[in-house]
Amino acid sequence: SAQDEVTEQLWFEYMLEYPFANSFNLENSLTYSTLLGSPKWRALDYSPSLEWSITQNIDLIGQAVLSYTNQTETYNTFEIRPILGTRLYFTPNQRVQTRLLVRLEQRNFKNLDTDEWTQTFRPRIRAEIIVPINRKTIFEDKMWYTITDAEILFTNDDINERFANKFRLRVGVGYRLNYTYRFEFIFMHQESRTGTDEDFTTSDNIFRFRLKHYLRKTKPTDTTGVGN
């Protein structure tokens, strides 16, 4: 479908991981994103998420997102987004990791100029593949790895917002220095539209820079976090 706008974005992400009680991991994620070009917009997101590893194949996820976005020079929004989800691991003990992340968001969306709130639900589904390059598993130190995934986010509700419905394709590379620090660079191509019955109207090339910081090395976790 034809697209009216092609943009480039920068995202900077910091993720603090805190494992506890053997099967739980608490992630605190902070993201700053902005448009390279005009009309300029910028967003700041904070997202705590709790993962519970029920088995080696299934995680349950509870997440929340607090997001402030300067949409235009005259239009700002604030969003509170509780999320429930699950991650399914298809190859948990193999070299190549294949997974499916399924989430449902309840979006509580405030126009800061009119103080009006709107609510909507948005399902999102992401298929993920992680492959170690120079090590046998993704749990070894001094390891390079590749990241590939595809995600759809969709809603039928009419919201005056950029990027209400999205398709995302991501490819990237990561480096696990040690258990405590991992660094990732991800290129994400995103197509967006306002409603599900419309053509995609924007196409975005997004450059994402991530630092993942894991605490409690004596109680290590295998989780890679939830993220955005």
Side-chain angles (χ1 to χ4, degrees):
S1 57
Q3 286 152 349
D4 300 329
E5 182 183 1
V6 178
T7 69
E8 293 184 338
Q9 300 175 26
L10 279 179
W11 291 20
F12 298 96
E13 302 168 88
Y14 172 71
M15 300 175 183
L16 182 66
E17 314 286 347
Y18 185 86
F20 63 96
N22 296 324
S23 58
F24 290 88
N25 183 68
L26 177 64
E27 177 181 80
N28 288 277
S29 177
L30 188 64
T31 303
Y32 172 78
S33 55
T34 188
L35 178 70
L36 295 177
S38 59
K40 177 71 72 175
W41 61 263
R42 57 186 59 85
L44 184 63
D45 296 354
Y46 168 64
S47 177
S49 59
L50 180 64
E51 298 174 80
W52 176 26
S53 296
I54 300 177
T55 71
Q56 65 176 1
N57 295 99
I58 301 174
D59 289 350
L60 290 183
I61 299 168
Q63 187 177 5
V65 177
L66 304 177
S67 178
Y68 168 80
T69 304
N70 174 219
Q71 303 271 1
T72 68
E73 292 183 357
T74 59
Y75 179 54
N76 303 304
T77 58
F78 177 70
E79 182 180 358
I80 302 173
R81 191 192 317 166
I83 303 169
L84 291 176
T86 184
R87 176 179 269 139
L88 306 177
Y89 296 80
F90 300 112
T91 56
N93 296 315
Q94 299 183 26
R95 183 172 185 270
V96 177
Q97 298 291 302
T98 56
R99 311 180 305 206
L100 185 69
L101 177 62
V102 180
R103 289 177 287 179
L104 177 65
E105 307 175 326
Q106 183 196 38
R107 311 188 66 204
N108 302 283
F109 198 80
K110 183 178 183 180
N111 182 330
L112 295 180
D113 300 313
T114 63
D115 288 332
E116 294 179 347
W117 284 90
T118 56
Q119 289 81 35
T120 185
F121 287 91
R122 183 170 69 178
R124 53 192 299 181
I125 303 171
R126 186 168 80 202
E128 307 170 329
I129 301 175
I130 300 178
V131 182
I133 298 174
N134 63 329
R135 294 289 187 266
K136 293 182 180 180
T137 74
I138 64 170
F139 308 113
E140 299 181 54
D141 294 340
K142 297 183 179 179
M143 177 201 60
W144 292 93
Y145 56 95
T146 62
I147 303 162
T148 306
D149 58 51
E151 184 174 28
I152 55 172
L153 304 85
F154 50 94
T155 178
N156 289 315
D157 296 319
D158 184 18
I159 293 180
N160 184 20
E161 179 215 2
R162 295 177 182 268
F163 320 133
N165 294 271
K166 310 175 187 180
F167 170 75
R168 291 172 168 177
L169 180 64
R170 304 191 307 179
V171 292
V173 62
Y175 181 69
R176 172 174 165 149
L177 175 65
N178 49 40
Y179 174 80
T180 305
Y181 294 107
R182 299 103 190 265
F183 308 89
E184 295 179 354
F185 169 73
I186 297 173
F187 171 77
M188 182 170 75
H189 179 74
Q190 174 176 273
E191 296 182 353
S192 309
R193 59 189 175 187
T194 302
T196 55
D197 58 346
E198 301 177 4
D199 292 335
F200 285 103
T201 57
T202 65
S203 178
D204 310 295
N205 296 319
I206 302 172
F207 305 93
R208 303 175 64 167
F209 299 87
R210 283 180 171 176
L211 170 61
K212 291 185 174 181
H213 184 187
Y214 287 74
L215 303 178
R216 290 172 61 86
K217 185 177 180 179
T218 57
K219 303 282 186 180
T221 177
D222 291 341
T223 182
T224 56
V226 180
N228 190 315

